[in-house]
């Protein structure tokens, strides 16, 4: 409520008060170890949520001028492994390079190509747009470009020759630019606005010694079909950037990176020991963290005809389940790397190894086939492993001498156990979402 009031430029009223979570130790001890783990993690997350909420409150109060000092919530330090490359950015670089070379070779070897080497100036910005936003289809750029050329050409041929002074030219430019920006002000109309302004400058070619020729407009217009032909070819070569295939490739990358991170959790050696291992772990950790968001940007562009029988909400739910799985894996790695009770972990190492092997096998199957795991069977497999692990934990803790490890050590161990269960539950949730999608049409070869 206070945030709503501040966003409406009203005083927030009473500032938020700190709340302490108190637990009934008797009831906590009566719970199973996994339930204690869940309760411990829940309390920790609630405390972190309270810190984030307070930071958000202070930030909004500071922005709105209500005189609050900004409290910054603590965040986990990142893994410093030097420079990491992004495969998607590298693919964008390769794509723009291929586009520019194809256009350059066409300008060299095709006689009397419209625009000559000036076609490179036209291809470069379009290639950069598609390299940075590969989700865009070439046909979505063609229509606003050609309409903008037609509009600018009409001004160039029929209006500008009638102007005889700088005042008239200035008034025309102001009126046209104002109209374009006003009519295409919505964020979804950004392409129309950009192309309208760019083509106005390119087609009119305003200079001190102004000349008018229909061939100038015609040559400019003829360049664009050639440029868009090259852009369309770059959708299929060197990488297939059709949304359904790109989505499946990103899914496979996500599960391969997840499988690497699970495999890297070696028994007795939670930290990577060499520079190459640190770099690989940092790379795959960033892949797991970033790929769900990238999948979310591709999801709206998937052809509804290809994904027949699949609602957009199902794909969005699938992406959300992947984001949850990414959070759970990141949380598990953080808890595993900061765990201090190595003696207890080593004693239960064989059981944790069984869990890791099972998860690794599942992730390998999902990397090959996004619907490669049936949720019911998957839940049964993981529950059997977790039940065995819980029994071993109870027996081990009962044998542990009193005072051998502190309450803080126990809390850390419980948090790790909860992290393992979180990854298992997130995988089951993903499998349930993937079952509702008919993947067969996604894999069909078609030129579309």
């Amino acid at each position: 409520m206070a945030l709503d009031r501040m966003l409406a430029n009203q005083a927030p009223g009473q500032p938020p008060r700190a709340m302490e979570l108190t637990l009934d130790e008797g009831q906590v001890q009566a719970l199973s170890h996994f339930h204690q783990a869940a309760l411990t993690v829940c309390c920790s997350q609630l405390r972190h949520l309270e810190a984030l909420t307070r930071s958000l409150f202070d930030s909004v109060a500071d922005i709105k001028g209500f005189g609050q000092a900004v409290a910054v919530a603590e965040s986990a330090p990142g893994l410093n492994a030097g420079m990491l490359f992004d495969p998607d950015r590298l693919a964008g670089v390769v794509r723009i390079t291929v586009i520019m070379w194809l256009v350059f070779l066409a300008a060299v070897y095709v006689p009397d190509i419209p625009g000559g080497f000036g076609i490179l100036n036209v291809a470069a910005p379009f290639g950069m747009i598609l390299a940075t936003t590969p989700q865009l289809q070439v046909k979505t750029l063609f229509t606003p470009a050609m309409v903008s050329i037609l509009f600018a050409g009409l001004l160039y041929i029929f209006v500008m020759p009638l102007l005889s002074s700088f005042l008239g030219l200035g008034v025309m430019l102001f009126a046209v630019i104002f109209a374009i920006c006003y009519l295409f002000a919505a964020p979804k109309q950004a392409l129309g606005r950009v192309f309208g302004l760019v083509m106005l400058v390119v087609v009119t070619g305003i200079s001190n010694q102004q000349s008018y020729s229909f061939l100038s407009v015609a040559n400019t217009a003829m360049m664009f079909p050639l440029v868009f032909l090259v852009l369309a070819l770059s959708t299929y070569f060197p990488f297939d950037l059709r949304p359904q295939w790109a989505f499946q490739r990103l899914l496979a990358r996500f599960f391969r990176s997840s499988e690497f991170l699970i495999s890297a959790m070696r028994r007795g050696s939670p930290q990577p020991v060499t520079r190459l291992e640190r770099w690989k772990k940092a790379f795959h950790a960033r892949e797991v963290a970033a790929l769900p968001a990238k999948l979310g940007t591709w999801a709206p562009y998937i052809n509804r005809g290809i994904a027949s029988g699949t609602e957009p909400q199902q794909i969005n739910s699938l992406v959300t389940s992947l984001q949850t799985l990414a959070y759970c894996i990141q949380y598990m790695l953080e808890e595993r790397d900061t765990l201090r009770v190595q003696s207890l972990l080593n004693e239960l190492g064989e059981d944790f190894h069984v869990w890791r092997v099972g998860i690794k096998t599942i992730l390998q199957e999902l990397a090959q086939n996004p619907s490669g795991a049936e949720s019911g069977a998957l839940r049964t497999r993981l529950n059997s492993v977790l039940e065995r692990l819980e029994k071993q934990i109870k027996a081990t803790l009962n044998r542990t001498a009193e005072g051998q490890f502190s309450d803080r050590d126990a809390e850390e161990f419980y948090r790790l156990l909860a992290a393992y269960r979180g990854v298992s539950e997130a995988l089951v949730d993903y499998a349930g979402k993937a079952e509702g999608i008919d993947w067969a049409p996604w894999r069909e070869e078609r030129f579309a």
Side-chain angles (χ1 to χ4, degrees), residues 70-239:
V70 177
V72 180
E74 295 183 0
S75 58
L79 184 62
N80 185 14
M83 184 177 64
L84 301 174
F85 79 94
D86 188 337
D88 298 301
R89 291 188 177 183
L90 181 61
V93 172
V94 173
R95 187 180 189 186
I96 186 63
T97 303
V98 170
I99 290 172
M100 296 306 296
W101 268 105
L102 289 176
V103 174
F104 174 76
L105 294 175
V108 170
Y109 291 105
V110 177
D112 300 325
I113 188 172
F117 284 96
I119 196 172
L120 291 169
N121 298 329
V122 176
F126 284 99
M128 293 176 67
I129 291 174
L130 292 179
T132 54
T133 54
Q135 301 87 359
L136 286 178
Q137 296 181 334
V138 176
K139 63 182 179 181
T140 62
L141 302 177
F142 185 80
T143 300
M146 298 312 295
V147 171
S148 299
I149 291 174
L150 177 62
F151 174 71
L154 293 176
L155 291 176
Y156 175 80
I157 295 173
F158 296 105
V159 177
M160 290 183 62
L162 302 178
L163 304 176
S164 58
S165 66
F166 174 78
L167 178 62
L169 177 64
V171 171
M172 186 206 74
L173 290 176
F174 175 81
V176 172
I177 293 174
F178 179 84
I180 292 174
C181 294
Y182 180 79
L183 295 175
F184 296 93
K188 292 183 178 181
Q189 298 173 313
L191 283 177
R193 182 172 65 254
V194 170
F195 281 117
L197 296 175
V198 170
M199 295 308 168
L200 176 66
V201 175
V202 172
V203 174
T204 56
I206 299 173
S207 62
N208 290 332
Q209 300 296 326
Q210 187 72 28
S211 61
Y212 302 97
S213 172
F214 174 76
L215 291 178
S216 175
V217 180
N219 283 333
T220 302
M222 287 298 296
M223 284 192 294
F224 283 91
L226 299 175
V227 170
F228 279 101
L229 175 62
V230 174
L231 296 179
L233 290 175
S234 70
T235 304
Y236 303 91
F237 175 83
F239 312 107

Side-chain angles (χ1 to χ4, degrees), residues 70 77 125 142 162 175 212 245 255 280 286 308 319 327 332 341 348 375 385 446-447:
V70 177
F142 185 80
L162 302 178
Y212 302 97
W245 290 106
F255 289 118
K280 290 171 68 175
R286 193 186 66 176
S308 57
V319 174
Y327 287 146
M332 179 185 65
V341 197
L348 296 169
S375 61
V385 175
R446 62 182 77 194
F447 190 77

Side-chain angles (χ1 to χ4, degrees), residues 294-309:
K294 294 180 180 180
L295 284 164
T297 62
W298 281 98
Y301 294 91
I302 296 175
N303 192 323
R304 292 297 304 278
I306 295 174
S308 57

Side-chain angles (χ1 to χ4, degrees), residues 9 28 32 38 47 111 114 143 169 181 207 211 226 278 291 295 335 378 381 417 419 437:
N9 295 320
V28 170
S32 68
R47 294 187 185 100
T143 300
L169 177 64
C181 294
S207 62
S211 61
L226 299 175
R278 287 197 300 270
L291 283 174
L295 284 164
E335 295 301 324
L378 183 59
R381 289 169 57 185
L417 299 182
I437 298 177

